[in-house]
Amino acid sequence: MSAYQEPTRVHSWGIFSLAVLCLISGVLIRPARAQDKPPAPPPDVVIFNNGDQLTGKLVRGEGNNVIFKSDIVGEVTISMDKVKELRSNGSFTVLKKDEKITRTSREPGSITITDNSLTLTHPNGTPETVPDKELAYIIDSATFNKEVVENPGIWYGWNGSITGGATVLQSTSFGQTLTAGVSLIRAIPTVSFLPPRTRTTFDLSETYGKLTQPQAPLPDYCNGSKTPPGCQDAVAKTHIFHTDFEHDKYFTPRMYVLAGFQFDHNFSQGLDFGQIYGVGLGWTVIKDAKQEFDVKTDIHYQRQNFAPPTPNEDLIGSSFGEAYSRSLPGKMLFTQSGTFIQSWNDTSIWSAVAAAGLALPVYHRFSLSVSILNNYLSNPAIGFQNNSFQFVSGITYTLH
């Protein structure tokens, strides 16, 4: 009989133990769950000199202005001389004017602006006061760590566009012309309000076309066949390819050193393969929210391989270039560039490239693009023209 009761007592103790464990777990888990949802911090507040108030979130500060985001008015730029008091519980890093930005971490803090000065209060309670005339940037700590302190991966921060176009002819004459282009840029930091550190660009463009013109009608001596000499179809071919890569390293907010290469093939000039490898200097002359203008020069090695019987060339030369871009009304974008390439070991050899383009948004990230490209080569292959001109239209997709 006792042998029968023992399992019952064990089973009862198991149920009791399970009930106690569940009760203890419930007591322990409830505070943990409560801690998962801490109370929301109070909103940031701006009090203006006239007594008006605005609540929301401090986004950042640039010079004598702060960018503040409110649910009522959206994102606005406020001059500090109009602010009586600003209080923010966020985590920010403050940079002073003429201060060299280094890739070292800094202890962030909350922000209070009053009496024409900023007070940065660190988590340990230590305050730091900065007069507004000495302020350069107010940056949230997450952005500062990501854009300044950390070393971004190779795939981080790329922007750009992809363009494609096609022309098809199908009649007595038949053929097609295809164009494709990729333009990528990676600027670190990726936020425009911080001084640039590095910039990497990559461009690729290709135009391929083939037009066949049959003889119509065929001469009598052809006897209806295209095999005899003088009876074949006339074929016109176009193939222009260009790609370049450049990496810029800024040593001031406007000046940078550069290194890069470019490859070219132009069937219309008899250039089988052109190569340039160089280093140089660049200067950002103009840069604001709407436009940017750069000039640069380099010294390089250049190799030109031509269609026979034209001899190939090994050259030491320099490039002198400029690039301009401007945002237009309606989110249109105008771009223009020009480069003059001079050989020094044979000064009779030079080339020039000029380009201009306009992108007109049509739907979301898609734009209608039109561009012109003119390429002049002083020493084309024997029997080929010096100048190559293209007018290209297509559809552009903006990656970001």
Side-chain angles (χ1 to χ4, degrees):
M1 186 71 176
S2 60
Y4 176 79
Q5 292 294 334
E6 184 63 17
T8 303
R9 285 197 297 270
V10 174
H11 182 67
S12 300
W13 275 106
I15 295 176
F16 177 75
S17 300
L18 181 61
V20 172
L21 182 61
C22 290
L23 179 62
I24 295 174
S25 299
V27 173
L28 295 176
I29 290 174
R30 283 186 178 181
R33 287 180 176 175
Q35 292 176 2
D36 290 341
K37 296 182 179 180
D44 300 342
V45 179
V46 177
I47 302 176
F48 294 92
N49 292 329
N50 61 4
D52 292 342
Q53 294 189 20
L54 189 64
T55 60
K57 181 181 179 181
L58 175 64
V59 179
R60 65 180 183 274
E62 299 178 45
N64 196 42
N65 296 318
V66 293
I67 290 82
F68 197 86
K69 188 174 183 179
S70 169
D71 293 337
I72 299 175
V73 297
E75 189 171 287
V76 293
T77 300
I78 305 171
S79 176
M80 287 188 185
D81 57 13
K82 297 180 180 180
V83 175
K84 180 180 180 181
E85 183 178 358
L86 187 152
R87 300 188 301 272
S88 174
N89 296 302
S91 180
F92 293 91
T93 298
V94 175
L95 301 177
K96 300 178 183 180
K97 291 180 180 178
D98 301 324
E99 177 182 5
K100 185 177 180 180
I101 299 177
T102 61
R103 299 179 63 184
T104 56
S105 60
R106 303 191 182 196
E107 186 180 18
S110 58
I111 295 291
T112 302
I113 297 176
T114 183
D115 297 328
N116 297 322
S117 65
L118 177 147
T119 301
L120 177 68
T121 305
H122 301 290
N124 60 10
T126 304
E128 179 184 353
T129 301
V130 181
D132 61 354
K133 63 181 180 180
E134 297 181 11
L135 278 175
Y137 300 102
I138 303 172
I139 312 170
D140 69 275
S141 58
T143 300
F144 180 81
N145 290 331
K146 182 178 182 181
E147 300 290 348
V148 179
V149 178
E150 298 176 359
N151 188 23
I154 190 173
W155 304 114
Y156 175 75
W158 286 99
N159 294 315
S161 61
I162 300 174
T163 302
T167 301
V168 178
L169 172 65
Q170 194 67 40
S171 184
T172 304
S173 302
F174 57 91
Q176 62 282 321
T177 300
L178 306 175
T179 61
V182 177
S183 181
L184 302 176
I185 182 169
R186 179 184 189 240
I188 302 297
T190 61
V191 289
S192 59
F193 58 85
L194 283 175
R197 192 163 78 234
T198 64
R199 178 175 60 183
T200 306
T201 58
F202 172 79
D203 294 289
L204 183 150
S205 62
E206 184 166 11
T207 300
Y208 179 83
K210 185 176 181 181
L211 178 65
T212 301
Q213 176 65 55
Q215 294 197 54
L218 284 172
D220 293 338
Y221 64 83
C222 295
N223 295 320
S225 173
K226 296 183 179 181
T227 303
C231 302
Q232 294 89 357
D233 296 340
V235 177
K237 179 183 175 182
T238 299
H239 188 197
I240 301 174
F241 172 85
H242 170 84
T243 186
D244 63 72
F245 175 89
E246 180 179 304
H247 181 70
D248 306 330
K249 176 69 174 179
Y250 286 82
F251 56 90
T252 77
R254 294 295 182 96
M255 301 289 292
Y256 54 90
V257 293
L258 62 91
F261 63 82
Q262 73 178 54
F263 300 143
D264 289 280
H265 168 76
N266 195 323
F267 183 82
S268 62
Q269 293 175 321
L271 180 64
D272 283 345
F273 189 48
Q275 310 167 61
I276 291 179
Y277 307 90
V279 294
L281 292 171
W283 177 34
T284 302
V285 183
I286 301 173
K287 186 174 183 180
D288 55 39
K290 291 186 177 181
Q291 60 184 342
E292 180 172 347
F293 178 59
D294 282 55
V295 295
K296 55 189 175 182
T297 185
D298 73 3
I299 184 166
H300 60 247
Y301 164 74
Q302 182 177 9
R303 170 74 174 179
Q304 295 176 326
N305 292 80
F306 292 101
T310 305
N312 300 326
E313 299 286 352
D314 288 287
L315 307 169
I316 300 296
S318 292
S319 299
F320 305 90
E322 55 84 21
Y324 178 74
S325 63
R326 182 178 181 88
S327 298
L328 301 175
K331 297 183 177 180
M332 294 186 295
L333 178 64
F334 171 76
T335 56
Q336 180 273 330
S337 63
T339 304
F340 176 78
I341 303 173
Q342 175 65 58
S343 167
W344 299 123
N345 58 324
D346 186 344
T347 55
S348 67
I349 299 178
W350 59 274
S351 60
V353 181
L358 183 65
L360 301 88
V362 292
Y363 180 74
H364 292 295
R365 295 186 179 184
F366 289 94
S367 302
L368 173 64
S369 62
V370 291
S371 62
I372 57 173
L373 176 63
N374 194 72
N375 190 319
Y376 184 89
L377 191 61
S378 68
N379 61 327
I382 298 172
F384 289 82
Q385 294 284 340
N386 296 85
N387 205 63
S388 170
F389 177 83
Q390 296 180 78
F391 175 84
V392 179
S393 62
I395 297 295
T396 297
Y397 178 78
T398 303
L399 300 177
H400 189 275

